[in-house]
Amino acid sequence: MEQTRKKTDWRSIVFLQLIIIVYTFSGVFGKMATNGNAFMSTMFIIFVVLDVAVLGVYALLWQQALKKFDLHVAYANRSLATIWSMVWAVLIFQERITVYNVIGTALIIAGAMLVNTDAER
């Protein structure tokens, strides 16, 4: 039985990355919930609710992505969440990027590019 591959163009990859960006905000809200907020304080609850809401939106969008993309392409791009998380760590939390972060990120980008390039054949 021959499998047909779904076409992956740059617009589709951008759409997939937007879904992944939504997913990474779950981590941002989770960190904000515990970052100086007392357990069950108003701000803690607000950030936890935002975290759950983001995960709900992500779940719906991810289901749509799985319909549109081959599974290996979707999950290879999902690994790029590490990069978006690092961007938020620097921009929102003023954290520092280490050499190991850069090396790991480069490996992730190379792997995702390899899978996306293979998907176009």
Side-chain angles (χ1 to χ4, degrees):
M1 185 164 110
E2 184 180 321
Q3 286 186 325
T4 58
R5 287 192 164 176
K6 300 171 187 170
K7 184 154 173 45
T8 306
D9 62 357
W10 70 271
R11 286 182 213 100
S12 298
I13 298 299
V14 169
F15 170 70
L16 186 55
Q17 286 306 304
L18 290 173
I19 293 170
I20 293 164
I21 287 170
V22 168
Y23 169 69
T24 60
F25 273 100
S26 168
V28 170
F29 291 135
K31 185 167 183 165
M32 287 178 158
T34 59
N35 197 14
N37 295 312
F39 180 69
M40 296 306 285
S41 67
T42 302
M43 290 309 294
F44 177 87
I45 292 170
I46 288 171
F47 285 125
V48 168
V49 168
L50 286 171
D51 189 0
V52 171
V54 163
L55 287 174
V57 169
Y58 165 73
L60 295 173
L61 292 172
W62 186 247
Q63 293 304 312
Q64 296 306 308
L66 291 178
K67 290 178 187 176
K68 185 172 183 155
F69 296 96
D70 286 330
L71 195 59
H72 72 282
V73 172
Y75 274 96
N77 278 276
R78 190 168 180 251
S79 68
L80 296 175
T82 304
I83 296 167
W84 292 113
S85 296
M86 192 166 49
V87 168
W88 307 145
V90 171
L91 294 178
I92 297 171
F93 301 108
Q94 288 77 43
E95 295 179 3
R96 294 183 52 171
I97 297 175
T98 67
V99 172
Y100 295 115
N101 295 134
V102 173
I103 292 169
T105 300
L107 290 171
I108 290 169
I109 290 171
M113 287 175 62
L114 186 67
V115 170
N116 287 328
T117 303
D118 181 51
E120 292 176 5
R121 292 186 187 158

